[in-house]
């Protein structure tokens, strides 16, 4: 049975892609956490370290510029981490979850239609078995009546059909005066009259009941076959609709993936553009008080006459 093979393959692929998307979203969330930890570490350590290292020196102004650049870098790193989590990771996770849920809903609807088709087929087969059984019972009742008739009649070689035909015309003339040979009578009435005439009432009633059961079971079987055909058509239509829906989901997944990549790149670009990393250098004034302090801190250069 190849029904639904393509749909099952598409659904399995969608589930695999959804799991991969959720894994990527979790990875991006971890990357966002690392960005946040890095920015917090920079905020905590760099300003105090630079301030203590450059205090009272000519490079204090330069150190302040470096501190501003590092702070700008840390700010943008923090902003980038937040953007990765809110603008990339969460939409990626949500779209992956929606893909898995949508694929499962589509397949569930198709599976329900296939289950209804299977049930209608099962009911049709059950009605067919009942119909075949009623035909066998009717045939057994006719054979039983035929054997009973042969045991009662002295004439050998006559069968039930010829006897009914021989007695139908006379019974018609007796029961329905004024009608010719072409008048029609229900076969049940003819069979009942035949049973009354030959003392086979019980056998004829059994045959009538069996044939009525054949008619009822045949009608039921025909109705079940009609329902089965309708269920098959509905399942086929549902399969086509499900494949179209899976195609739509796949197109949305690709579009969301491209939008996620674009958002990630735009976020990276915006963070890099907003980083203030420009440093201005100025010549050191050796006559300044700070330069004098540096000279006073210089160690004497050893000479050749100095003792070791």
């Amino acid at each position: 049975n190849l029904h639904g093979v393509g749909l099952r393959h598409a659904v399995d692929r969608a589930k695999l892609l959804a799991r991969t998307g959720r894994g990527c979203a979790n990875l991006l969330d971890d990357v966002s956490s690392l960005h946040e930890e890095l920015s917090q570490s920079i905020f905590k350590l760099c300003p105090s370290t630079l301030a203590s290292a450059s205090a009272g020196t000519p490079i204090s102004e330069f150190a302040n510029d470096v501190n501003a650049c590092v702070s700008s870098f840390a700010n943008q790193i923090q902003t980038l981490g937040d953007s990765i989590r809110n603008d990339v990771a969460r939409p990626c996770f949500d779209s992956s979850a929606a893909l898995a849920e949508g694929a499962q809903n589509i397949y569930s609807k198709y599976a329900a239609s296939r289950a209804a088709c299977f049930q209608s087929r099962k009911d049709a087969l059950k009605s067919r078995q009942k119909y075949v059984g009623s035909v066998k019972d009717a045939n057994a009742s006719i054979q039983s009546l035929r054997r009973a008739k042969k045991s009662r009649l002295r004439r050998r070689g006559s069968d039930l059909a010829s006897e009914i035909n021989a007695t139908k015309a006379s019974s018609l003339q007796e029961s329905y005066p004024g009608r010719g040979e072409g008048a029609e009578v229900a076969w049940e009435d003819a069979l009942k009259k035949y049973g009354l005439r030959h003392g086979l009432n019980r056998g004829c009633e059994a045959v009538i009941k069996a044939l009525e059961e054949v008619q009822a079971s045949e009608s039921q079987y025909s109705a079940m076959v009609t329902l089965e055909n309708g269920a098959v058509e509905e399942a086929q239509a549902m399969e086509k609709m499900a494949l179209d829906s899976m195609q739509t989901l796949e197109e949305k997944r690709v579009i969301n993936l491209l939008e996620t990549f674009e958002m990630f790149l735009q976020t990276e670009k915006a963070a890099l553009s907003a980083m203030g990393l420009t440093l201005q250098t100025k010549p050191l004034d050796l006559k300044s008080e700070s330069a004098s302090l540096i000279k006073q801190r210089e160690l004497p250069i050893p000479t050749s006459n100095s003792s070791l």
Side-chain angles (χ1 to χ4, degrees):
N1 188 359
L2 298 180
H3 289 291
V5 173
L7 179 60
R8 285 196 294 270
H9 178 73
V11 171
D12 292 340
R13 180 176 179 274
K15 291 181 178 179
L16 177 60
L17 291 173
R19 290 195 296 270
T20 304
R22 287 194 293 266
C24 292
N26 293 330
L27 177 61
L28 289 172
D29 190 73
D30 293 338
V31 171
S32 175
S33 298
L34 292 176
H35 278 71
E36 184 176 358
E37 291 177 4
L38 176 60
S39 63
Q40 293 298 325
S41 298
I42 292 175
F43 283 135
K44 183 178 180 179
L45 297 177
C46 287
S48 59
T49 302
L50 289 173
S52 60
S54 62
T57 66
I59 63 172
S60 60
E61 185 176 354
F62 178 75
N64 292 332
D65 293 339
V66 173
N67 186 28
C69 292
V70 172
S71 298
S72 176
F73 176 77
N75 282 325
Q76 296 307 316
I77 286 293
Q78 187 177 25
T79 302
L80 178 61
D82 294 338
S83 181
I84 290 175
R85 175 177 286 112
N86 298 324
D87 298 334
V88 181
R90 288 179 181 174
C92 182
F93 187 89
D94 294 339
S95 63
S96 299
L99 175 63
E101 184 179 359
Q104 184 60 43
N105 291 336
I106 290 171
Y107 190 78
S108 297
K109 293 179 181 178
Y110 168 73
S113 66
R114 290 298 302 172
C117 182
F118 177 78
Q119 185 62 40
S120 62
R121 176 62 176 170
K122 185 177 179 181
D123 295 338
L125 290 176
K126 185 177 180 180
S127 299
R128 181 181 181 275
Q129 292 177 353
K130 184 178 180 181
Y131 172 56
V132 172
S134 64
V135 171
K136 291 180 179 180
D137 293 340
N139 186 50
S141 299
I142 292 173
Q143 295 298 328
S144 178
L145 179 61
R146 182 173 294 173
R147 288 192 298 269
K149 185 219 39 171
K150 287 182 178 180
S151 65
R152 286 178 175 273
L153 295 177
R154 293 179 180 179
R155 291 182 298 123
R156 295 182 179 180
S158 61
D159 56 7
L160 178 60
S162 61
E163 187 66 23
I164 292 177
N165 291 331
T167 58
K168 181 181 292 186
S170 59
S171 63
L172 287 175
Q173 294 294 333
E174 294 175 0
S175 302
Y176 305 96
R179 296 187 180 183
E181 294 183 356
E184 297 182 357
V185 179
W187 63 270
E188 295 95 336
D189 295 335
L191 193 56
K192 287 179 181 179
K193 290 182 180 297
Y194 176 82
L196 290 173
R197 176 171 296 182
H198 296 281
L200 300 173
N201 295 339
R202 183 175 298 178
C204 290
E205 290 291 341
V207 171
I208 292 172
K209 184 178 180 180
L211 292 177
E212 289 176 348
E213 183 66 25
V214 169
Q215 291 179 342
S217 58
E218 181 183 10
S219 299
Q220 184 180 8
Y221 176 51
S222 178
M224 290 296 102
V225 170
T226 301
L227 290 176
E228 179 188 1
N229 293 335
V232 170
E233 293 177 357
E234 183 178 356
Q236 292 174 348
M238 182 61 67
E239 182 176 2
K240 182 179 182 301
M241 187 183 304
L243 288 172
D244 292 340
S245 299
M246 288 302 302
Q247 179 65 26
T248 302
L249 277 180
E250 176 63 15
E251 293 174 358
K252 290 182 178 180
R253 184 193 69 82
V254 173
I255 292 174
N256 289 332
L257 183 62
L258 293 177
E259 291 178 349
T260 299
F261 285 156
E262 183 179 3
M263 179 65 70
F264 180 76
L265 294 176
Q266 291 294 334
T267 303
E268 290 276 1
K269 181 179 178 181
L272 291 174
S273 299
M275 288 182 183
L277 301 180
T278 302
L279 294 176
Q280 295 181 357
T281 59
K282 296 181 180 180
L284 181 63
D285 186 8
L286 297 177
K287 296 181 180 181
S288 63
E289 182 179 355
S290 300
S292 301
L293 292 175
I294 294 177
K295 289 182 178 181
Q296 294 176 3
R297 295 176 185 177
E298 290 181 351
L299 294 176
I301 300 176
T303 61
S304 56
N305 296 327
S306 62
S307 60
L308 296 178

